């Protein structure tokens, strides 16, 4: 079983008996995640690299928490890591795209991360507001076609009301 599979098994266990343990796990993880991001954001242009084990030791994390961190940051990296098949000795990078990382934090609803004071030295307040807005807009569903109401003519062309034709429950 890969590191990522092990992490997902621990962190996303749906067994009712394990819910309390899963909650405790996340309660332990989130402060560590915040600490590492705060440290990384102090030098946002530094491309931190090493094996999973080396980075875990550098940041004082267990291998599983380092795996979780790598899973979380992967979509924000300039070059994604091979997280699906990585083990302790896999070379990984934490070379992230500042704007993408900020937007992904907003998208995840991680206010404890996109609200870190370290962002103040990276982006102006106006730029952060712009990135926040872009992240929110990107996930807004926009309807390409107008909504069809039950009493509207059916779009299939039958001449019947939508509710009596294609909108009829099966």
């Amino acid at each position: 079983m890969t590191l990522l599979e092990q992490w997902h098994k621990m962190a996303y266990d749906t067994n009712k008996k394990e819910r309390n343990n899963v909650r405790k796990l996340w309660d332990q993880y989130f402060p560590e995640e915040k600490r590492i991001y705060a440290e990384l954001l102090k030098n946002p242009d530094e491309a931190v690299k090493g094996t999973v084990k080396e980075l875990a030791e550098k940041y004082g994390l267990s291998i599983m928490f380092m795996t979780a961190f790598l899973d979380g940051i992967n979509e924000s990296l300039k070059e994604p890591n091979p997280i699906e098949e990585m083990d302790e000795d896999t070379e990984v990078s934490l070379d992230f795209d500042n704007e993408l990382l900020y937007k992904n934090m907003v998208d995840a609803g991680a206010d404890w991360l996109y609200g870190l004071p370290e962002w103040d030295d990276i982006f102006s307040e106006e730029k952060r507001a712009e990135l926040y807005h872009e992240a929110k807009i990107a996930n807004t569903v926009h309807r390409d076609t107008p909504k069809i109401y039950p009493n509207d003519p059916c779009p299939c062309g039958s001449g019947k009301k939508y509710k009596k034709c294609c909108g009829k429950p099966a």
Side-chain angles (χ1 to χ4, degrees):
M1 189 180 301
T2 67
L3 289 176
L4 189 63
E5 289 170 334
Q6 291 174 49
W7 168 250
H8 283 181
K9 187 175 183 200
M10 288 171 48
Y12 302 106
D13 192 330
T14 57
N15 181 344
K16 285 185 179 183
K17 292 179 183 178
E18 293 298 318
R19 281 193 188 143
N20 201 29
N21 290 336
V22 169
R23 188 174 303 118
K24 285 179 184 175
L25 179 71
W26 284 107
D27 287 347
Q28 293 170 346
Y29 172 74
F30 287 136
E32 295 297 323
E33 176 188 47
K34 183 178 178 179
R35 178 181 60 79
I36 295 168
Y37 275 118
E39 194 171 325
L40 288 172
L41 292 171
K42 288 177 184 169
N43 298 305
D45 298 323
E46 179 187 342
V48 177
K49 294 180 181 189
T51 66
V52 174
K53 186 176 182 177
E54 289 168 348
L55 293 179
E57 289 170 0
K58 175 179 179 160
Y59 293 107
L61 296 176
S62 68
I63 295 292
M64 283 297 103
F65 276 9
M66 191 68 229
T67 301
F69 187 83
L70 290 165
D71 186 23
I73 198 172
N74 208 45
E75 290 182 10
S76 303
L77 298 175
K78 293 175 182 172
E79 192 71 36
N81 289 313
I83 61 170
E84 297 291 332
E85 62 267 351
M86 72 183 177
D87 60 31
E88 291 182 9
D89 298 320
T90 303
E91 284 284 332
V92 292
S93 169
L94 300 179
D95 190 14
F96 56 90
D97 177 290
N98 296 342
E99 290 188 9
L100 187 56
L101 180 61
Y102 189 86
K103 288 183 201 178
N104 286 339
M105 288 174 170
V106 170
D107 187 39
D111 57 342
W112 66 94
L113 297 177
Y114 68 79
L116 284 168
E118 286 78 7
W119 284 112
D120 296 345
D121 294 332
I122 300 170
F123 298 125
S124 67
E125 202 172 314
E126 294 80 19
K127 182 65 174 178
R128 286 194 310 274
E130 176 188 319
L131 293 171
Y132 182 92
H133 181 70
E134 287 175 15
K136 291 296 185 180
I137 292 289
N139 290 317
T140 302
V141 176
H142 299 280
R143 194 179 288 273
D144 291 339
T145 57
K147 180 162 174 51
I148 302 168
Y149 293 93
N151 288 326
D152 289 346
C154 191
C156 75
S158 67
K160 296 179 184 179
K161 289 184 177 184
Y162 179 68
K163 69 182 178 184
K164 296 286 186 178
C165 191
C166 295
K168 195 176 196 175

